[in-house]
Amino acid sequence: MSEQQIIAVVGATGAQGGGLVRAILDDRGGRFAARALTRDPGSARARELAALGAEVVGADLDDAGSLRRAFDGAHGAFVVTNFWEPRTPEEERARPATTKEREQARNAARAGREAGVRHFVWSTLSDTRGYFRPDDGTPSFEGTYKVPHADGKAEADRFFLESGVPTTFLQANVYYEAFRDMFAPRRDETGALVLPLGFGEARVAAQAAEDVGRTALGIFRQGNGMAGRRVSVAGAVLTGAQYAAALSQALGEPVTYQAVSPDMIRAAGFPGAGEVGNMLQYLIAAASDIAELIDIELLRELNPRLQTFDAWLATHRDTIPH
């Protein structure tokens, strides 16, 4: 067969990038080979990918030269930035996470163009600001951002558009894995399981982390016909009550949905509570627009293994605290 085309994967040791590397490696003898980009090729996760057959290359999104070298000879590049990367307060003051993400996206887009990359898949999110009223009392961050980890990525879309490289804009939704921790069911004072979520009555889209990478591989397979398209990944679009019902079935005992208002979450005082409350308010306000963006037929074409929430729970129910 002809020589495999290289897909350079930024963030290869993370959830999205790691899912793509594994999807490529699972497709043995397929069209593509995986080049896993990581700042630390000696890390345990990087060594694991190398053992599976990936080419592991050192590269840093803050080092444009390292990206240019890592992209050299690659047919395609998957780019994701990590808003939640642990940093010191001093680092955050010197360069806010949104600024870091924009600069890193610009570096990647420029490096890919210079290296001759033929297809970008950029992991982005929607700009949430149009779903908030100026007088609604919700907090803003770093000036005008309402949900910085989404709004900053949306602003960075322009670097890929300006690069001239065909780009597909891939959006993840809520991770099923969040039901293991942030969205996990809890025992109330009577010992009954409740699911306290800020979803209101909205239908909220979600997917397994590995399905983001599998969908990205499907996009690369489709080629430049996917250029300019926005693909929103979801295996389920359910209400909070429906997520609770699925958990009830999987865990073998009743789980009751308990709606928590975004205001209550913002007032909770934990680190990032303001942004989390805003994010949930956005998910409620934008529910119909988010659902409209999801093309299940296309998603199943790109990723025939796309998992429903029930299917994911059947495999992972033992990891759900209860």
Side-chain angles (χ1 to χ4, degrees), residues 294-315:
I294 296 163
D295 184 338
I296 291 294
E297 184 176 340
L298 172 64
L299 291 172
R300 294 206 176 279
E301 179 183 348
L302 296 172
N303 172 22
R305 298 170 65 186
L306 182 70
Q307 300 163 85
T308 65
F309 189 50
D310 287 337
W312 182 85
L313 282 173
T315 303

Side-chain angles (χ1 to χ4, degrees), residues 197-217:
L197 293 179
F199 290 0
E201 300 305 314
R203 296 171 66 236
V204 174
Q207 78 290 306
E210 61 190 343
D211 280 325
V212 180
R214 289 172 180 165
T215 302
L217 176 56

Side-chain angles (χ1 to χ4, degrees), residues 9-27:
V9 182
V10 173
T13 58
Q16 293 190 19
L20 173 55
V21 171
R22 286 178 169 80
I24 294 171
L25 295 176
D26 284 346
D27 185 24

Side-chain angles (χ1 to χ4, degrees), residues 148-174:
H149 76 270
D151 302 339
K153 283 187 175 69
E155 285 186 341
D157 288 357
R158 68 183 181 90
F159 299 122
F160 294 92
L161 292 168
E162 292 168 358
S163 75
V165 177
T167 299
T168 306
F169 300 88
L170 182 66
Q171 294 188 195
N173 288 288
V174 172

Side-chain angles (χ1 to χ4, degrees), residues 5-11 17 20 24 32-33 35 37 61 67-68 70-80 107-113 115-123 160 165-170 216-217 219-220 224:
Q5 296 175 313
I6 295 170
I7 302 297
V9 182
V10 173
L20 173 55
I24 294 171
F32 299 114
R35 178 180 291 167
L37 277 55
L61 281 167
L67 287 174
R68 171 66 177 77
F71 287 158
D72 190 46
H75 167 81
F78 174 82
V79 180
V80 62
N107 287 344
R110 182 177 300 165
R113 182 193 66 215
V117 166
R118 297 180 183 178
H119 189 180
F120 275 126
V121 174
W122 158 235
S123 178
F160 294 92
V165 177
T167 299
T168 306
F169 300 88
L170 182 66
L217 176 56
I219 291 169
F220 283 120
N224 290 348

Side-chain angles (χ1 to χ4, degrees), residues 46-287:
R47 292 197 306 271
E48 179 184 343
L49 294 177
L52 292 172
E55 175 193 7
V56 177
V57 173
D60 189 327
L61 281 167
D62 288 320
D63 181 348
S66 74
L67 287 174
R68 171 66 177 77
R69 292 187 294 273
F71 287 158
D72 190 46
H75 167 81
F78 174 82
V79 180
V80 62
T81 55
N82 184 8
F83 179 90
W84 305 106
E85 177 186 18
R87 298 197 299 157
T88 66
E90 292 74 21
E91 288 172 328
E92 182 62 30
R93 283 193 295 270
R95 185 172 68 149
T98 48
T99 302
K100 178 196 72 167
E101 286 198 295
R102 288 197 310 273
E103 292 175 350
Q104 290 179 340
R106 182 180 58 201
N107 287 344
R110 182 177 300 165
R113 182 193 66 215
E114 293 173 354
V117 166
R118 297 180 183 178
H119 189 180
F120 275 126
V121 174
W122 158 235
S123 178
T124 186
L125 290 169
S126 294
D127 194 320
T128 70
R129 288 171 285 188
Y131 294 91
F132 294 84
R133 300 192 317 275
D135 60 348
D136 65 4
T138 57
S140 296
F141 306 92
E142 298 171 35
T144 65
Y145 295 124
K146 288 298 183 179
V147 184
H149 76 270
D151 302 339
K153 283 187 175 69
E155 285 186 341
D157 288 357
R158 68 183 181 90
F159 299 122
F160 294 92
L161 292 168
E162 292 168 358
S163 75
V165 177
T167 299
T168 306
F169 300 88
L170 182 66
Q171 294 188 195
N173 288 288
V174 172
Y175 287 105
Y176 293 159
E177 287 77 5
F179 289 92
R180 294 170 169 167
D181 41 63
M182 179 184 293
F183 294 159
R186 291 164 172 75
R187 299 280 174 188
D188 68 11
E189 63 278 2
T190 71
L193 280 175
V194 296
L195 187 66
L197 293 179
F199 290 0
E201 300 305 314
R203 296 171 66 236
V204 174
Q207 78 290 306
E210 61 190 343
D211 280 325
V212 180
R214 289 172 180 165
T215 302
L217 176 56
I219 291 169
F220 283 120
R221 284 175 175 151
Q222 292 273 357
N224 290 348
M226 295 295 296
R229 297 191 66 171
R230 192 167 293 268
V231 178
S232 181
V233 186
V237 186
L238 304 174
T239 64
Q242 289 171 324
Y243 282 113
L247 286 163
S248 298
Q249 182 68 28
L251 300 178
E253 66 173 294
V255 179
T256 302
Y257 174 54
Q258 186 178 80
V260 181
S261 75
D263 283 336
M264 291 175 63
I265 293 169
R266 281 187 286 258
F270 60 84
E275 179 171 1
V276 172
N278 282 5
M279 178 188 71
L280 292 166
Q281 182 166 326
Y282 159 73
L283 290 178
I284 294 169

